[in-house]
Amino acid sequence: MKPSKIFYSQDSIKEKFDNGHTIYSTLSVCKKHPFVINKIPRIRVCQKNGKMYTLDNRRLWVFKKLEADGYITDIPVKTVSNDRLTPEKFTTKNGGESVEIRQPFVDSDDDTDNDDMF
């Protein structure tokens, strides 16, 4: 599925994944080493109001940037039931068109080349 056809379910995301890597460093590593893109777990998507929304907004942010910059065209997704998209998880105020990053970008780990990112 094209990342550009998937919508954010939340209005904001943290800049860091649970493993401590930022969305920016993940994007940078994927651009330097495209094989890493295939190591990123599939995003979960579900249909709501005729649109496909993700439950994995930070990964979608990375995939959308990679698509916009010409590194990918499609990604594998896992379709899940839309009951997984609970009201507290569905916070988008603009139909999922964009997402705000809650913490400002800090050029801290942007040059990370670790294979243990995921």
Side-chain angles (χ1 to χ4, degrees):
M1 187 170 195
K2 291 188 178 309
S4 55
K5 301 292 184 192
I6 305 169
F7 297 87
Y8 297 105
S9 60
Q10 298 177 336
D11 61 352
S12 66
I13 57 174
K14 291 191 281 185
E15 73 169 4
K16 284 192 176 184
F17 289 102
D18 292 342
N19 65 9
H21 293 284
T22 69
I23 56 178
Y24 306 105
S25 65
T26 302
L27 177 63
S28 177
V29 168
C30 287
K31 287 180 175 182
K32 289 178 187 173
H33 308 286
F35 70 91
V36 172
I37 296 168
N38 296 321
K39 292 185 175 188
I40 299 174
R42 289 182 187 200
I43 63 171
R44 298 163 294 162
V45 298
C46 64
Q47 190 166 11
K48 182 178 177 78
N49 303 327
K51 292 166 74 171
M52 296 302 279
Y53 288 92
T54 187
L55 279 73
D56 304 300
N57 292 277
R58 286 173 288 201
R59 279 184 264 157
L60 178 60
W61 183 92
V62 171
F63 287 135
K64 281 182 177 273
K65 298 292 185 192
L66 289 169
E67 180 186 19
D69 292 345
Y71 287 88
I72 61 172
T73 56
D74 296 282
I75 57 168
V77 299
K78 181 178 181 181
T79 303
V80 298
S81 172
N82 68 358
D83 63 356
R84 304 273 305 268
L85 196 56
T86 59
E88 56 273 358
K89 292 274 187 189
F90 192 72
T91 60
T92 181
K93 294 175 179 46
N94 62 13
E97 294 289 333
S98 64
V99 69
E100 184 178 314
I101 299 167
R102 287 195 292 266
Q103 286 114 357
F105 173 67
V106 177
D107 192 24
S108 58
D109 65 344
D110 196 43
D111 290 328
T112 303
D113 273 345
N114 294 339
D115 279 344
D116 65 342
M117 290 192 71
F118 309 104

